[in-house]
Amino acid sequence: MRRVAAPVIDPRRGSSVMVRGQGHVMTRQLTQRGRERRAQLLDIAARQFAEGGYHPTSVAEIVEAAGVGKGVFYWYFESKEALFTEILRDANISLRRRQQAALGNEPDPIRRLELGILATMHWYHEHRYVFNLFQFAQSETEFAAILVESQETSLNDAMRHVKEAMAEGRIRDGDPLFLTQAVIGTTGHLARRFIFDRDDDPDEVAQMASAFILHGLMAQPASVS
Amino acid sequence: MRRVAAPVIDPRRGSSVMVRGQGHVMTRQLTQRGRERRAQLLDIAARQFAEGGYHPTSVAEIVEAAGVGKGVFYWYFESKEALFTEILRDANISLRRRQQAALGNEPDPIRRLELGILATMHWYHEHRYVFNLFQFAQSETEFAAILVESQETSLNDAMRHVKEAMAEGRIRDGDPLFLTQAVIGTTGHLARRFIFDRDDDPDEVAQMASAFILHGLMAQPASVS
Amino acid sequence: MRRVAAPVIDPRRGSSVMVRGQGHVMTRQLTQRGRERRAQLLDIAARQFAEGGYHPTSVAEIVEAAGVGKGVFYWYFESKEALFTEILRDANISLRRRQQAALGNEPDPIRRLELGILATMHWYHEHRYVFNLFQFAQSETEFAAILVESQETSLNDAMRHVKEAMAEGRIRDGDPLFLTQAVIGTTGHLARRFIFDRDDDPDEVAQMASAFILHGLMAQPASVS
Amino acid sequence: MRRVAAPVIDPRRGSSVMVRGQGHVMTRQLTQRGRERRAQLLDIAARQFAEGGYHPTSVAEIVEAAGVGKGVFYWYFESKEALFTEILRDANISLRRRQQAALGNEPDPIRRLELGILATMHWYHEHRYVFNLFQFAQSETEFAAILVESQETSLNDAMRHVKEAMAEGRIRDGDPLFLTQAVIGTTGHLARRFIFDRDDDPDEVAQMASAFILHGLMAQPASVS
DNA sequence: GATGAATGAGGTTTCATTCAT
DNA sequence: TATGAATGAAACCTCATTCAT
């Protein structure tokens, strides 16, 4: 990690936790202090998972980094797995919030795509450690399912822009899902390679990515062969 | 895994192994039978890692699936990690071989890109389980390094086509590395989503991917705004 | 537990507690409310120990069921072990009280045995959950000692009847302790099997138990009175 | 434990083990050495559970007593619980075997009961530590079920004798199950009190127990044969 | 070459108990 | 009195690796 990244956790969220009370799940009310501790653990864990991998990072390492006893972890989280799941969900919520904020009331769907790509690059730039978490999550069935579910809303947002643009004849006809996935995949991979690996300027990466993606989507392209 | 995928291992390769014997590393010569057993273990392990994850899959499970004792594993591989590293390398060699074979003597660089995308989709279709392996490998530093190294040659192949096309004025000017990464990232993500997740027809996916990518690369696009 | 059983705790008892405060043991005076809370905890704990076992039942579960914080537990009890010890003592006191009440001034020792068996069956019927507590307590040295000590008085009561009956020539000569243990053992096991396991009618079980205890298996028994 | 008791495990039994092989249960073949080690662990564990209780005795203590590493335990047993279950089953098999051997071809059902009681007392005398195991097992639902199931055969054996004797008019009419349970309960409790607690002579205990069971407490019993 | 057995550090999780508020 | 938070030892169990046979 070349520079400290902003946490993805909103400490005001989550004033209560789900815990196991002998067989049935109950909700535990947390004090202000409790909420802060919980957010701290989420943040520390996210960074350690990103740095060292989910499996290789032990609960012991997490609590040690937080400077608390081992029991604290299980006071706030049902399991290591539940913690990771929550990190994934929180990250996606944070990313989508940023994308939404960036769109404002922009009426042009193509412009909305551009703004979304720009917001995404900036968010990744600030939360660079999340790359590895998503990457890993994709690789194990249970977590991949969480990811898909968490990203569904963002996917639909983007697909809406694509459909609108298509209806306006601004972009080529085609399967909207396929095109949207192309947009997302390209954005993600370029972010990984140029923002995460090389720490390039997010504005520049976004601009180049937009160029590639928009030409890819455009109607009336130059003839291919 | 919806259907049985072809192994990525060439059993003729690897007629000797590096192993630890009495403290120092030594090279072991393998018989024909030995080479087959080794290839079998690589194949079984690859599938199990893909299905259940690298860390969650234990050496015990691998040897059990192979129907051999635990000692056999360490007869052929230095460690679980070395085994995985080898799987990654082998997979990339296999993929590149397929891409190379597809290009033939095609003189047109743009056509070479198209053929490469098509070959890639077909290869992923046949080795679908490899997706998870690559995805996971990206997420842990040590394995990510292996991946980057293994994929460097393929990357340079593709970049050569891009540069040539650019020199011929067939595609837009721009950072060739950036454009090549865009091509690769888009191809990979679309393969993941449509070939792995949905088992779509690789020819169709390749065709749609090529359309998106080539328009993205093209010179003289339709005006954006 | 098929039906709610009566608590074995007398909330009027125990107006003060022994607890550890600053390193030394001190006696704490309890208010009326305090005594009730204490009795409530004893009762809840007894049922949970019976249902789920002493060791598997955690203090956390007990206080959760009582709807109080964890500190409360240690305000009223020195430890989980002390709590269980007290449950055992209370249960035996309650049982003996019932047995005593049943005897009245009955002059016939044999009749007294019968009345004792009947009272015991009824008590077990009302406090069915106690079976598991006694059973468990027998199995761990420290608790077994508490049981033996708590049951000594009841044992001596019963043995007095046996000795009197023997002196009157009403029952066979023999080791009074042995015969008394036989009476107790038979009563206990039959209660377990027919009252706890099958929820049979305590009057019927008592009657059949008395017949067995007095006459054994043989046909043509000596007339009872 | 005042004296060393004979193990209840037959090391020739059990040439294979059930173990978990990732989700599904598989059977593992054991070598002669493996079978001995397994029997040793069963025996050591049984004694330690009896002495210190099932829950308080840790797997660490068991393997330490056996002088082996912790992994060995899980090589031979699926879990601590599975081990205990097996101890319970083995003990009941051993007890029943002894009872059966004692009966020979004895035609008289009453005599068979007597011989059964005698064999039981001797078996308990040799396997005294089993008392606590049974006692504890009774107290937790899951293990109690195992006990009931394991003892069903012995119960039916004894009930057959009771029914025969009843058919011959040798013992009183009554519910055969009730009477059989009375026999078993009395025998068990007396064994516990006089053989386990006091280390009395099993022959004497058996004789007094038989007298009580056959005649009850009454003087002038009906003649036995 | 191959096997079953063994190792033991280390993993996740639980829990009796204490303490600051 | 009472609470939520914290502790940390210790529980059960896993697993990469080694080894005797």
Side-chain angles (χ1 to χ4, degrees):
Chain A
M1 260 337 80
R2 272 132 312 179
R3 43 196 216 83
V4 178
V8 100
I9 311 304
D10 181 347
R12 289 160 312 187
R13 280 195 349 110
S15 60
S16 62
V17 220
M18 299 305 233
V19 283
R20 279 196 304 278
Q22 181 72 349
H24 66 288
V25 178
M26 57 168 295
T27 299
R28 169 140 60 226
Q29 289 301 322
L30 296 181
T31 63
Q32 171 60 19
R33 182 162 167 234
R35 265 173 282 140
E36 282 164 15
R37 173 98 326 146
R38 195 163 187 281
Q40 179 203 12
L41 286 170
L42 277 165
D43 187 46
I44 288 178
R47 288 167 207 274
Q48 291 194 294
F49 288 159
E51 192 107 17
Y54 170 74
H55 288 297
T57 300
S58 68
V59 172
E61 286 172 79
I62 296 168
V63 296
E64 197 193 354
V68 296
K70 217 174 292 189
V72 169
F73 186 95
Y74 292 92
W75 178 259
Y76 292 109
F77 304 98
E78 222 184 315
S79 65
K80 188 187 171 187
E81 189 181 321
L83 164 74
F84 185 53
T85 293
E86 185 160 342
I87 290 173
L88 292 179
R89 292 222 168 87
D90 283 352
N92 276 301
I93 287 170
S94 165
L95 171 55
R96 173 156 196 258
R97 193 166 294 169
R98 172 68 143 273
Q99 292 166 336
Q100 287 297 95
L103 300 194
N105 297 321
E106 177 58 49
D108 181 355
I110 298 242
R111 182 83 190 115
R112 286 212 297 276
L113 282 171
E114 281 182 314
L115 289 171
I117 290 165
L118 182 61
T120 302
M121 293 297 177
H122 276 281
W123 186 87
Y124 274 134
H125 185 248
E126 282 157 35
H127 307 289
R128 32 193 23 263
Y129 60 91
V130 173
F131 277 105
N132 280 347
L133 303 184
F134 283 177
Q135 208 92 259
F136 165 73
Q138 288 271 5
S139 79
E140 297 204 0
T141 321
E142 42 179 335
F143 297 131
I146 305 279
L147 262 201
V148 166
E149 173 203 312
S150 306
Q151 295 174 341
E152 205 174 11
T153 322
S154 289
L155 176 69
N156 287 333
D157 289 343
M159 190 147 52
R160 195 156 33 80
H161 311 153
V162 168
K163 282 176 177 167
E164 263 186 58
M166 204 180 289
E168 298 176 11
R170 308 277 300 284
I171 65 177
R172 295 185 288 119
D173 271 348
D175 177 356
L177 176 60
F178 188 91
L179 292 176
T180 310
Q181 287 287 10
V183 172
I184 288 174
T186 310
T187 306
H189 185 79
L190 293 172
R192 160 94 208 186
R193 284 288 165 250
F194 296 96
I195 290 184
F196 179 83
D197 287 356
R198 301 194 351 184
D199 203 12
D200 281 0
D201 175 46
D203 285 316
E204 282 179 29
V205 177
Q207 193 236 301
M208 296 207 287
S210 290
F212 179 87
I213 287 166
L214 294 181
H215 295 142
L217 294 174
M218 284 303 152
Q220 278 125 55
S223 68
V224 171
S225 62
Chain B
M1 243 15 47
R2 273 132 309 178
R3 45 195 216 85
V4 178
V8 101
I9 311 302
D10 180 349
R12 290 158 312 187
R13 279 191 353 104
S15 60
S16 64
V17 223
M18 302 299 243
V19 283
R20 280 199 300 281
Q22 357 287 47
H24 64 290
V25 175
M26 48 182 287
T27 298
R28 173 138 57 228
Q29 288 300 322
L30 296 180
T31 65
Q32 169 61 19
R33 174 146 169 262
R35 264 175 283 137
E36 281 166 14
R37 172 113 304 169
R38 197 164 183 281
Q40 180 204 11
L41 285 169
L42 279 164
D43 186 46
I44 288 178
R47 289 167 205 272
Q48 291 195 292
F49 288 160
E51 192 105 18
Y54 169 73
H55 289 296
T57 301
S58 68
V59 172
E61 287 170 71
I62 296 168
V63 298
E64 195 209 334
V68 298
K70 226 178 277 192
V72 170
F73 186 94
Y74 290 91
W75 181 261
Y76 291 112
F77 303 98
E78 217 187 318
S79 65
K80 188 187 171 187
E81 189 180 322
L83 164 75
F84 186 52
T85 294
E86 186 160 342
I87 291 172
L88 292 179
R89 292 220 168 87
D90 284 352
N92 276 301
I93 288 169
S94 163
L95 171 55
R96 174 159 195 257
R97 191 166 297 167
R98 171 67 144 273
Q99 291 166 336
Q100 287 298 97
L103 299 194
N105 296 321
E106 176 59 48
D108 181 356
I110 297 241
R111 183 84 190 113
R112 286 212 297 276
L113 282 171
E114 280 182 315
L115 290 170
I117 290 165
L118 182 63
T120 303
M121 293 296 177
H122 275 282
W123 186 87
Y124 273 133
H125 184 247
E126 282 158 33
H127 308 288
R128 32 195 21 264
Y129 61 90
V130 173
F131 276 106
N132 280 347
L133 303 183
F134 284 177
Q135 207 94 259
F136 165 73
Q138 288 269 4
S139 79
E140 296 203 3
T141 321
E142 42 178 337
F143 297 130
I146 306 278
L147 261 201
V148 167
E149 174 204 313
S150 308
Q151 295 175 341
E152 207 174 9
T153 323
S154 289
L155 176 68
N156 287 333
D157 288 343
M159 191 148 51
R160 194 156 37 76
H161 312 153
V162 168
K163 281 178 177 165
E164 262 186 60
M166 205 180 290
E168 297 176 11
R170 307 275 299 283
I171 66 176
R172 295 184 289 119
D173 270 347
D175 177 357
L177 176 59
F178 188 92
L179 293 176
T180 310
Q181 286 289 10
V183 172
I184 288 175
T186 309
T187 307
H189 184 81
L190 292 173
R192 160 94 207 185
R193 284 287 165 249
F194 296 96
I195 290 184
F196 179 83
D197 287 356
R198 300 192 356 182
D199 203 13
D200 280 1
D201 174 46
D203 285 315
E204 282 179 29
V205 176
Q207 192 236 303
M208 296 208 286
S210 289
F212 180 87
I213 287 167
L214 293 180
H215 295 143
L217 294 173
M218 286 300 154
Q220 277 126 54
S223 69
V224 171
S225 63
Chain C
M1 238 31 27
R2 271 132 312 180
R3 41 195 220 87
V4 179
V8 101
I9 312 302
D10 180 349
R12 289 159 311 187
R13 278 189 357 103
S15 60
S16 64
V17 222
M18 303 298 244
V19 283
R20 280 199 302 280
Q22 358 287 45
H24 64 289
V25 175
M26 47 181 289
T27 298
R28 174 140 54 228
Q29 287 301 321
L30 296 180
T31 65
Q32 169 60 17
R33 175 148 167 260
R35 265 174 282 137
E36 281 166 14
R37 172 116 301 170
R38 197 165 185 279
Q40 180 205 10
L41 285 169
L42 279 164
D43 186 46
I44 288 177
R47 289 167 206 273
Q48 291 195 292
F49 288 160
E51 193 106 16
Y54 169 74
H55 288 294
T57 301
S58 68
V59 172
E61 287 170 70
I62 295 168
V63 298
E64 195 208 334
V68 297
K70 227 178 275 192
V72 170
F73 186 95
Y74 290 91
W75 180 262
Y76 291 113
F77 303 99
E78 218 185 319
S79 66
K80 189 186 172 188
E81 190 181 322
L83 164 75
F84 185 52
T85 296
E86 185 161 341
I87 290 172
L88 292 179
R89 292 222 168 88
D90 283 353
N92 276 301
I93 288 170
S94 164
L95 171 55
R96 174 157 194 259
R97 192 166 294 167
R98 171 66 144 275
Q99 291 166 334
Q100 286 299 96
L103 300 194
N105 296 321
E106 175 61 48
D108 180 354
I110 298 239
R111 184 81 191 115
R112 285 210 298 277
L113 282 172
E114 283 181 316
L115 290 170
I117 290 166
L118 182 63
T120 302
M121 293 297 177
H122 274 281
W123 186 88
Y124 273 133
H125 184 247
E126 282 157 34
H127 307 289
R128 34 196 16 267
Y129 62 88
V130 173
F131 276 106
N132 279 348
L133 303 184
F134 284 177
Q135 209 94 258
F136 166 72
Q138 288 270 1
S139 79
E140 296 204 3
T141 321
E142 41 178 336
F143 297 129
I146 305 278
L147 260 201
V148 166
E149 175 204 312
S150 307
Q151 294 174 342
E152 207 175 9
T153 323
S154 288
L155 176 68
N156 286 333
D157 289 342
M159 190 149 52
R160 195 155 37 76
H161 313 153
V162 167
K163 280 177 177 166
E164 263 185 59
M166 206 182 286
E168 296 176 12
R170 307 275 299 285
I171 66 175
R172 297 182 292 117
D173 271 346
D175 177 356
L177 176 59
F178 188 92
L179 293 177
T180 309
Q181 286 287 11
V183 172
I184 288 174
T186 309
T187 307
H189 184 80
L190 292 172
R192 161 96 208 183
R193 284 288 165 249
F194 296 95
I195 289 183
F196 180 82
D197 287 355
R198 301 195 351 186
D199 202 13
D200 281 0
D201 176 47
D203 285 317
E204 281 178 30
V205 177
Q207 191 236 303
M208 297 207 286
S210 289
F212 179 85
I213 286 167
L214 296 178
H215 307 132
L217 294 174
M218 283 305 153
Q220 279 126 52
S223 66
V224 172
S225 63
Chain D
M1 259 343 73
R2 272 132 311 180
R3 44 197 215 81
V4 179
V8 100
I9 312 303
D10 180 347
R12 288 160 312 186
R13 277 192 353 107
S15 58
S16 63
V17 220
M18 298 305 231
V19 282
R20 279 196 305 277
Q22 181 72 347
H24 67 288
V25 177
M26 58 168 295
T27 299
R28 168 139 61 228
Q29 289 301 322
L30 296 181
T31 63
Q32 171 60 20
R33 183 163 166 234
R35 266 174 281 140
E36 282 164 15
R37 173 93 332 142
R38 196 165 186 280
Q40 179 204 11
L41 286 170
L42 278 165
D43 187 47
I44 288 178
R47 288 167 208 274
Q48 290 194 293
F49 288 160
E51 192 107 15
Y54 170 74
H55 289 295
T57 300
S58 68
V59 171
E61 286 172 78
I62 295 168
V63 296
E64 197 193 354
V68 297
K70 214 174 296 186
V72 169
F73 186 95
Y74 293 93
W75 179 260
Y76 292 108
F77 304 98
E78 221 185 314
S79 65
K80 189 186 170 188
E81 190 181 320
L83 163 75
F84 186 52
T85 294
E86 185 160 343
I87 291 173
L88 292 179
R89 292 222 168 87
D90 283 352
N92 277 300
I93 289 170
S94 164
L95 170 55
R96 171 154 197 259
R97 192 167 294 168
R98 172 65 143 273
Q99 291 166 336
Q100 287 298 96
L103 300 193
N105 297 322
E106 177 58 48
D108 180 355
I110 299 245
R111 183 81 191 116
R112 287 211 298 276
L113 282 171
E114 282 182 314
L115 289 171
I117 291 166
L118 182 63
T120 302
M121 293 296 177
H122 274 282
W123 186 87
Y124 272 134
H125 185 248
E126 282 157 34
H127 308 288
R128 33 191 24 264
Y129 61 90
V130 173
F131 277 105
N132 280 346
L133 304 184
F134 284 177
Q135 208 93 257
F136 165 73
Q138 288 271 4
S139 78
E140 297 203 3
T141 321
E142 41 179 335
F143 297 132
I146 305 280
L147 261 201
V148 166
E149 173 203 314
S150 306
Q151 295 174 341
E152 205 175 10
T153 322
S154 289
L155 176 68
N156 287 334
D157 288 342
M159 192 150 48
R160 195 157 34 78
H161 312 153
V162 167
K163 282 176 177 166
E164 262 185 59
M166 204 182 290
E168 297 177 11
R170 307 277 299 284
I171 64 175
R172 297 184 290 116
D173 271 348
D175 177 358
L177 176 58
F178 188 93
L179 293 177
T180 310
Q181 286 287 11
V183 171
I184 287 174
T186 309
T187 306
H189 185 80
L190 292 173
R192 160 93 207 187
R193 284 287 166 249
F194 296 96
I195 290 184
F196 179 82
D197 287 355
R198 300 192 355 183
D199 203 12
D200 281 0
D201 176 46
D203 285 317
E204 281 179 28
V205 177
Q207 192 235 304
M208 297 206 287
S210 290
F212 178 85
I213 286 167
L214 295 178
H215 306 131
L217 293 172
M218 286 301 150
Q220 278 129 54
S223 65
V224 172
S225 65

